[in-house]
Amino acid sequence: GAVVSQHPSRVICKSGTSVKIECRSLDFQATTMFWYRQFPKQSLMLMATSNEGSKATYEQGVEKDKFLINHASLTLSTLTVTSAHPEDSSFYICSALGTSSGANVLTFGAGSRLTVL
Amino acid sequence: KQEVTQIPAALSVPEGENLVLNCSFTDSAIYNLQWFRQDPGKGLTSLLLIQSSQREQTSGRLNASLDKSSGRSTLYIAASQPGDSATYLCAVRKNAGNMLTFGGGTRLMVKP
């Protein structure tokens, strides 16, 4: 139980285009989802926290107009990188917080590698 | 603000050695601490989770300890194998509804 699916796992796009990454909790309801970014050989840095039905809370230094986060349902959150540039190339990982079989769970997706040409 | 530090940043050992990875955190008021493994270009695999009330957790050749008062955790890997080569991340959680704060990771290479 408590599985999170993240899609796509890899995406290559041209500079200036927008890319959407989906994070789905498959067998539990995620009240909160977290989006992290990881640059090569660095650790995971929290970008934003999203709660279902409300606006995301962004960490300092993360542009909310560039990284649009939508958490419209208890099982889906999306991260859209708008007008992507090469410096946005990174590994993006989501995690979902919820309850599964009565237990509090925090589960990670497998990550999405974005390459902007 | 919670800061998590992992030492060493990189480690190379011959196969068969026992080794210790260190993690320290600045705010001892944590909900739990978790150790992850990350293979190159891949997502996270949870290894061990220690609740704030616990002192250690064991899984196979892995043992993680937690000393909350001193803000430290160690991950002990016994009889290391080349397949253990990966980056090991520790992360702490402030409360049940909070995100994880990650350390910088330790890149482990176990040579045959």
Side-chain angles (χ1 to χ4, degrees):
Chain A
V3 177
V4 172
S5 173
Q6 193 172 334
H7 177 81
S9 59
R10 291 178 178 270
V11 57
I12 301 173
C13 70
K14 293 182 179 180
S15 184
T17 61
S18 294
V19 174
K20 181 184 285 188
I21 300 170
E22 292 187 347
C23 181
R24 292 181 184 273
S25 57
L26 298 185
D27 51 2
F28 69 102
Q29 294 186 326
T31 52
T32 304
M33 287 193 177
F34 305 100
W35 287 94
Y36 294 84
R37 179 169 54 186
Q38 184 181 34
F39 291 108
K41 296 187 178 180
Q42 295 187 26
S43 191
L44 282 76
M45 299 299 295
L46 181 69
M47 298 175 65
T49 302
S50 73
N51 293 295
E52 185 266 337
S54 62
K55 291 183 178 181
T57 302
Y58 290 81
E59 295 298 300
Q60 192 172 12
V62 178
E63 300 175 58
K64 63 179 181 180
D65 293 331
K66 181 168 185 61
F67 299 99
L68 300 178
I69 292 173
N70 184 284
H71 193 165
S73 77
L74 285 171
T75 59
L76 175 64
S77 176
T78 60
L79 166 67
T80 301
V81 183
T82 62
S83 186
H85 289 117
E87 58 265 30
D88 298 325
S89 298
S90 186
F91 193 57
Y92 294 87
I93 304 178
C94 71
S95 68
L97 176 68
T99 304
S100 178
S101 302
N104 186 273
V105 294
L106 177 65
T107 305
F108 282 81
S112 300
R113 181 162 301 285
L114 170 63
T115 302
V116 185
L117 303 176
Chain B
K1 182 181 178 181
Q2 178 74 273
E3 292 184 5
V4 182
T5 304
Q6 288 185 247
I7 295 173
L11 182 62
S12 180
V13 300
E15 181 177 6
E17 273 202 11
N18 302 323
L19 51 98
V20 175
L21 309 182
N22 297 292
C23 173
S24 61
F25 46 96
T26 54
D27 185 353
S28 62
I30 64 171
Y31 178 71
N32 60 34
L33 182 145
Q34 200 163 359
W35 283 92
F36 294 89
R37 169 186 172 136
Q38 185 177 32
D39 292 288
K42 304 292 185 182
L44 304 177
T45 300
S46 179
L47 298 173
L48 291 165
L49 184 149
I50 311 177
Q51 300 293 349
S52 63
S53 59
Q54 298 174 326
R55 303 257 330 159
E56 67 176 344
Q57 284 287 326
T58 299
S59 175
R61 293 183 294 109
L62 305 179
N63 175 276
S65 67
L66 173 64
D67 183 343
K68 202 172 67 166
S69 61
S70 66
R72 294 182 180 180
S73 175
T74 60
L75 177 67
Y76 176 81
I77 303 177
S80 58
Q81 302 171 358
D84 295 331
S85 298
T87 295
Y88 291 82
L89 296 161
C90 78
V92 298
R93 196 162 153 198
K94 185 178 178 65
N95 55 51
N98 212 270
M99 79 293 184
L100 291 172
T101 300
F102 284 84
T106 295
R107 291 188 300 281
L108 172 66
M109 172 72 73
V110 181
K111 298 180 179 179

